[in-house]
Amino acid sequence: EAIQPAIDLAIEAGIPVISYDRLIEDDRTFYITFDNVCVGRLIASIVRQAQPEGNFVILKGDPSDANVGFLRQGMEDVIGAAVAGGTITIVGEANADGWSPQSAFTAMEKILADNNNAVDAVLAQNDGIAGAVIEALEAQGMSIPVGGQDGDPAALNRVARGTQTVSVWKNNRELGKAAGKVAGLLADGVAPDRVPDAIRFTGGDKGLTYTAILLNPTPITKDNLDLVIKADQITRADACAGALPDVAGCN
């Protein structure tokens, strides 16, 4: 909302605008990000592989961020039928204002107290929230499957140590390259719908349809942690500190 006057001025001057990784709800912009619905699916599917049924908690990001809805949609794609069928029960769902780990920690503490610690898995919408969840669980002597996203170094080490089940990695180098390529094409006068790999994407609170590129994310588990080490997302020493013996890249 705050940037809308700038968007208006740019469009009026004939300058293309790219909405980079955060949705600006103006369909005159070109939206480029990772497929956050897919991120939600990956978090839920990998956690569900580890914990197929039981009491689940969903901890979401800031309610003003459109990505929260996309992530939640992807999670619902995976667990919705199981919730309807009664094999999975959502015993707590909350937002972390500002994506704040402290807000997530407080929410998780309350959910644990309200359910007498009867929680079997947690779907967290980013790694900061996942870390706060794990801290709250450890305070209760609990270790259960927890999923997150971003490929944060601390989260990747938690994956290696076995306290976090998955961190879905969005390689920002690839996002930056794609955005640079699109910017060059738009500046040269290429129509948005003629940009290679562009799709039509509908989403956000206004339900608008955008020309967009959605890149594919990569789920990182203990079985492929070597991918982020090879990509220089994290050093081997930082990734593998205290790692379990069967972690890829840490042997």
Side-chain angles (χ1 to χ4, degrees), residues 53-106:
E53 56 187 35
N55 292 337
F56 279 47
V57 169
I58 299 176
L59 281 183
K60 302 175 292 189
D62 191 277
S64 69
D65 188 337
N67 285 339
V68 167
F70 301 144
L71 292 162
R72 184 62 178 86
Q73 178 185 334
M75 292 172 177
E76 186 68 18
D77 289 346
V78 173
I79 66 171
V83 171
T87 58
I88 289 177
T89 301
I90 306 299
V91 295
E93 183 166 355
N95 289 93
D97 291 340
W99 295 88
S100 162
Q102 183 57 53
S103 176
F105 180 84
T106 301

Coordinates of all heavy atoms in Angstrom, one line a residue, residues 53-106:
E53 N 0.1 -39.0 10.8 CA -1.2 -38.6 11.4 C -0.9 -38.1 12.8 O 0.2 -38.1 13.3 CB -2.1 -39.9 11.5 CG -1.5 -41.1 12.2 CD -2.3 -42.3 12.1 OE1 -3.0 -42.5 11.0 OE2 -2.4 -43.1 13.0
G54 N -2.0 -37.6 13.4 CA -1.9 -37.1 14.8 C -2.3 -35.7 14.9 O -3.0 -35.1 14.0
N55 N -1.8 -35.0 16.0 CA -2.1 -33.6 16.3 C -1.1 -32.7 15.7 O 0.1 -32.8 16.0 CB -2.2 -33.4 17.8 CG -3.4 -34.1 18.4 OD1 -4.4 -34.4 17.7 ND2 -3.3 -34.4 19.7
F56 N -1.5 -31.9 14.7 CA -0.6 -31.0 14.0 C -0.8 -29.5 14.5 O -2.0 -29.1 14.8 CB -0.8 -31.0 12.5 CG -0.1 -32.2 11.8 CD1 -0.2 -33.5 12.3 CD2 0.6 -32.0 10.7 CE1 0.4 -34.5 11.7 CE2 1.2 -33.0 10.0 CZ 1.2 -34.3 10.5
V57 N 0.2 -28.7 14.4 CA 0.2 -27.3 14.7 C 0.7 -26.6 13.4 O 1.6 -27.0 12.8 CB 1.0 -26.9 15.9 CG1 1.2 -25.4 16.0 CG2 0.4 -27.5 17.2
I58 N 0.0 -25.5 13.1 CA 0.5 -24.6 11.9 C 0.8 -23.2 12.5 O -0.1 -22.6 13.0 CB -0.6 -24.6 10.9 CG1 -0.9 -25.9 10.3 CG2 -0.1 -23.6 9.7 CD1 -2.0 -26.0 9.3
L59 N 2.0 -22.8 12.4 CA 2.4 -21.5 12.8 C 2.8 -20.7 11.5 O 3.7 -21.0 10.8 CB 3.6 -21.5 13.8 CG 3.2 -21.9 15.2 CD1 4.3 -21.9 16.1 CD2 2.1 -21.0 15.7
K60 N 2.0 -19.6 11.3 CA 2.1 -18.8 10.1 C 2.9 -17.5 10.4 O 3.1 -17.1 11.5 CB 0.7 -18.5 9.6 CG -0.1 -19.8 9.3 CD -1.5 -19.5 8.9 CE -2.3 -18.9 10.0 NZ -3.8 -18.8 9.6
G61 N 3.2 -16.8 9.3 CA 3.9 -15.6 9.4 C 3.0 -14.4 9.6 O 1.8 -14.6 10.0
D62 N 3.4 -13.2 9.2 CA 2.6 -12.0 9.5 C 1.4 -12.0 8.6 O 1.5 -12.3 7.4 CB 3.5 -10.8 9.2 CG 2.8 -9.5 9.6 OD1 2.0 -9.0 8.9 OD2 3.1 -9.1 10.7
P63 N 0.2 -11.7 9.2 CA -1.0 -11.8 8.4 C -1.1 -10.8 7.2 O -1.9 -11.0 6.3 CB -2.1 -11.5 9.4 CG -1.4 -10.9 10.6 CD 0.0 -11.4 10.6
S64 N -0.3 -9.8 7.2 CA -0.3 -8.8 6.1 C 0.5 -9.2 4.9 O 0.4 -8.6 3.9 CB 0.3 -7.4 6.6 OG 1.7 -7.5 6.9
D65 N 1.3 -10.3 5.0 CA 2.1 -10.8 3.9 C 1.3 -11.8 3.1 O 0.9 -12.8 3.6 CB 3.4 -11.5 4.5 CG 4.4 -11.8 3.5 OD1 4.1 -12.0 2.3 OD2 5.6 -12.0 3.9
A66 N 1.2 -11.5 1.8 CA 0.4 -12.4 0.9 C 1.0 -13.8 0.9 O 0.3 -14.8 0.6 CB 0.4 -11.8 -0.5
N67 N 2.3 -13.9 1.1 CA 3.0 -15.3 1.1 C 2.4 -16.2 2.1 O 2.4 -17.4 1.9 CB 4.5 -15.1 1.2 CG 5.2 -14.6 0.0 OD1 4.6 -14.7 -1.1 ND2 6.4 -14.1 0.2
V68 N 1.9 -15.6 3.2 CA 1.3 -16.5 4.3 C 0.1 -17.3 3.7 O 0.0 -18.5 3.9 CB 0.8 -15.6 5.4 CG1 -0.1 -16.4 6.4 CG2 2.0 -15.1 6.2
G69 N -0.7 -16.6 2.9 CA -1.8 -17.3 2.3 C -1.4 -18.4 1.3 O -2.0 -19.5 1.2
F70 N -0.4 -18.1 0.5 CA 0.1 -19.0 -0.5 C 0.7 -20.3 0.2 O 0.4 -21.4 -0.2 CB 1.2 -18.4 -1.4 CG 0.7 -17.2 -2.1 CD1 1.6 -16.1 -2.4 CD2 -0.5 -17.1 -2.6 CE1 1.2 -15.0 -3.1 CE2 -1.0 -16.0 -3.3 CZ -0.1 -14.9 -3.6
L71 N 1.5 -20.1 1.3 CA 2.1 -21.2 2.0 C 1.0 -22.0 2.6 O 1.0 -23.2 2.6 CB 3.0 -20.6 3.1 CG 4.3 -20.0 2.6 CD1 4.9 -19.1 3.7 CD2 5.3 -21.0 2.1
R72 N 0.0 -21.3 3.2 CA -1.1 -22.1 3.9 C -1.9 -22.9 2.9 O -2.3 -24.0 3.1 CB -2.0 -21.1 4.6 CG -3.1 -21.8 5.4 CD -2.6 -22.7 6.5 NE -3.6 -23.3 7.3 CZ -4.2 -24.4 7.0 NH1 -3.9 -25.1 5.9 NH2 -5.1 -24.9 7.8
Q73 N -2.1 -22.3 1.7 CA -2.8 -23.1 0.6 C -2.1 -24.3 0.3 O -2.7 -25.4 0.1 CB -2.9 -22.2 -0.7 CG -3.6 -22.8 -1.8 CD -3.5 -22.0 -3.1 OE1 -3.5 -20.7 -3.0 NE2 -3.6 -22.6 -4.2
G74 N -0.7 -24.3 0.1 CA 0.1 -25.4 -0.2 C 0.0 -26.5 0.9 O -0.1 -27.7 0.6
M75 N 0.0 -26.1 2.2 CA -0.1 -27.0 3.3 C -1.5 -27.7 3.2 O -1.6 -28.9 3.4 CB 0.1 -26.3 4.6 CG 1.5 -25.7 4.8 SD 1.6 -24.7 6.3 CE 3.4 -24.3 6.3
E76 N -2.5 -26.9 2.9 CA -3.9 -27.5 2.9 C -4.0 -28.5 1.8 O -4.7 -29.5 1.9 CB -4.9 -26.4 2.7 CG -6.3 -26.8 2.7 CD -6.8 -27.3 4.1 OE1 -6.1 -26.9 5.1 OE2 -7.8 -27.9 4.2
D77 N -3.3 -28.3 0.7 CA -3.3 -29.3 -0.4 C -2.8 -30.7 0.0 O -3.3 -31.7 -0.4 CB -2.4 -28.8 -1.6 CG -2.9 -27.6 -2.3 OD1 -4.1 -27.3 -2.2 OD2 -2.2 -27.0 -3.1
V78 N -1.9 -30.7 1.0 CA -1.3 -31.9 1.5 C -2.1 -32.6 2.6 O -2.4 -33.8 2.6 CB 0.1 -31.7 1.9 CG1 0.7 -33.0 2.5 CG2 1.0 -31.3 0.7
I79 N -2.5 -31.7 3.6 CA -3.2 -32.3 4.8 C -4.7 -32.2 4.8 O -5.3 -32.8 5.7 CB -2.6 -31.7 6.0 CG1 -2.9 -30.2 6.1 CG2 -1.1 -31.9 6.1 CD1 -2.6 -29.5 7.5
G80 N -5.2 -31.4 3.9 CA -6.7 -31.1 3.9 C -7.5 -32.4 4.0 O -8.5 -32.5 4.8
A81 N -7.3 -33.4 3.1 CA -8.1 -34.6 3.1 C -7.9 -35.4 4.4 O -8.9 -35.9 4.9 CB -7.7 -35.4 1.9
A82 N -6.7 -35.4 4.9 CA -6.5 -36.1 6.2 C -7.2 -35.4 7.3 O -7.7 -36.1 8.3 CB -5.0 -36.2 6.4
V83 N -7.2 -34.1 7.3 CA -8.0 -33.4 8.4 C -9.5 -33.7 8.2 O -10.1 -34.0 9.2 CB -7.7 -31.9 8.3 CG1 -8.6 -31.1 9.2 CG2 -6.3 -31.5 8.6
A84 N -10.0 -33.7 7.0 CA -11.4 -34.0 6.8 C -11.7 -35.4 7.2 O -12.8 -35.7 7.7 CB -11.8 -33.8 5.3
G85 N -10.7 -36.3 7.0 CA -10.9 -37.7 7.3 C -10.7 -38.1 8.8 O -10.9 -39.2 9.2
G86 N -10.1 -37.1 9.5 CA -9.9 -37.3 11.0 C -8.6 -38.0 11.4 O -8.4 -38.2 12.5
T87 N -7.7 -38.2 10.4 CA -6.4 -38.8 10.8 C -5.4 -37.7 11.2 O -4.4 -38.1 11.9 CB -5.8 -39.6 9.6 OG1 -5.7 -38.8 8.5 CG2 -6.7 -40.8 9.3
I88 N -5.6 -36.5 10.8 CA -4.9 -35.4 11.3 C -5.8 -34.4 11.9 O -6.9 -34.1 11.3 CB -4.0 -34.7 10.2 CG1 -2.9 -35.6 9.7 CG2 -3.5 -33.4 10.6 CD1 -2.1 -35.1 8.5
T89 N -5.5 -33.9 13.1 CA -6.2 -32.8 13.8 C -5.4 -31.6 14.0 O -4.2 -31.7 14.5 CB -6.7 -33.3 15.1 OG1 -7.5 -34.5 15.0 CG2 -7.5 -32.3 15.8
I90 N -5.9 -30.5 13.5 CA -5.1 -29.2 13.8 C -5.5 -28.7 15.2 O -6.6 -28.3 15.4 CB -5.5 -28.1 12.7 CG1 -5.3 -28.6 11.3 CG2 -4.7 -26.9 13.0 CD1 -3.9 -29.1 11.0
V91 N -4.6 -28.9 16.1 CA -4.9 -28.5 17.5 C -4.4 -27.1 17.8 O -4.7 -26.6 18.9 CB -4.2 -29.5 18.5 CG1 -4.8 -30.9 18.3 CG2 -2.7 -29.5 18.3
G92 N -3.8 -26.4 16.9 CA -3.4 -25.0 17.1 C -2.9 -24.4 15.8 O -2.3 -25.0 15.0
E93 N -3.4 -23.2 15.5 CA -2.9 -22.4 14.3 C -2.9 -21.0 14.7 O -3.8 -20.4 15.3 CB -3.9 -22.7 13.2 CG -3.5 -22.0 11.9 CD -4.2 -22.4 10.7 OE1 -5.0 -23.4 10.8 OE2 -4.0 -21.9 9.6
A94 N -1.7 -20.3 14.4 CA -1.6 -18.9 14.9 C -0.6 -18.2 13.9 O 0.2 -18.9 13.2 CB -1.0 -18.9 16.3
N95 N -0.7 -16.9 13.9 CA 0.2 -16.1 13.2 C 1.3 -15.5 14.1 O 1.1 -15.3 15.3 CB -0.5 -14.9 12.6 CG -1.4 -15.2 11.4 OD1 -2.6 -15.5 11.6 ND2 -0.8 -15.3 10.2
A96 N 2.5 -15.3 13.5 CA 3.6 -14.6 14.2 C 3.7 -13.2 13.6 O 4.2 -13.1 12.5 CB 4.9 -15.4 14.0
D97 N 3.2 -12.2 14.3 CA 3.2 -10.9 13.8 C 4.7 -10.4 13.4 O 5.6 -10.6 14.2 CB 2.7 -9.9 14.8 CG 1.2 -10.1 15.0 OD1 0.5 -10.7 14.1 OD2 0.6 -9.7 16.1
G98 N 4.8 -9.9 12.2 CA 6.1 -9.5 11.8 C 7.1 -10.6 11.6 O 8.3 -10.4 11.5
W99 N 6.6 -11.8 11.5 CA 7.4 -13.0 11.3 C 8.3 -13.2 12.6 O 9.4 -13.7 12.5 CB 8.2 -13.0 10.1 CG 7.4 -13.1 8.8 CD1 6.9 -12.1 8.1 CD2 7.0 -14.3 8.1 NE1 6.2 -12.5 7.0 CE2 6.2 -13.9 7.0 CE3 7.2 -15.7 8.3 CZ2 5.7 -14.8 6.1 CZ3 6.7 -16.6 7.4 CH2 5.9 -16.1 6.3
S100 N 7.9 -12.7 13.7 CA 8.8 -12.6 14.9 C 8.9 -14.0 15.6 O 7.9 -14.6 15.9 CB 8.2 -11.6 15.9 OG 8.7 -11.8 17.2
P101 N 10.2 -14.4 15.7 CA 10.4 -15.7 16.5 C 9.8 -15.6 17.9 O 9.3 -16.6 18.4 CB 11.9 -15.9 16.5 CG 12.3 -15.2 15.2 CD 11.4 -14.0 15.1
Q102 N 9.9 -14.4 18.5 CA 9.4 -14.3 19.9 C 7.9 -14.5 19.9 O 7.3 -15.2 20.8 CB 9.7 -13.0 20.5 CG 9.3 -12.8 21.9 CD 9.8 -13.9 22.9 OE1 11.0 -14.1 22.9 NE2 8.9 -14.6 23.6
S103 N 7.2 -13.9 18.9 CA 5.7 -14.1 18.8 C 5.4 -15.6 18.6 O 4.5 -16.1 19.2 CB 5.2 -13.3 17.7 OG 3.8 -13.5 17.4
A104 N 6.2 -16.3 17.7 CA 6.0 -17.7 17.5 C 6.2 -18.5 18.7 O 5.5 -19.5 19.0 CB 6.9 -18.1 16.3
F105 N 7.3 -18.2 19.5 CA 7.6 -18.9 20.7 C 6.4 -18.8 21.7 O 6.0 -19.8 22.3 CB 8.8 -18.4 21.3 CG 9.3 -19.0 22.6 CD1 10.0 -20.2 22.6 CD2 8.9 -18.5 23.9 CE1 10.4 -20.9 23.8 CE2 9.3 -19.1 25.0 CZ 10.0 -20.3 25.0
T106 N 5.9 -17.6 21.9 CA 4.8 -17.4 22.8 C 3.5 -18.2 22.3 O 2.8 -18.8 23.1 CB 4.4 -15.9 22.9 OG1 5.6 -15.2 23.3 CG2 3.3 -15.6 23.8

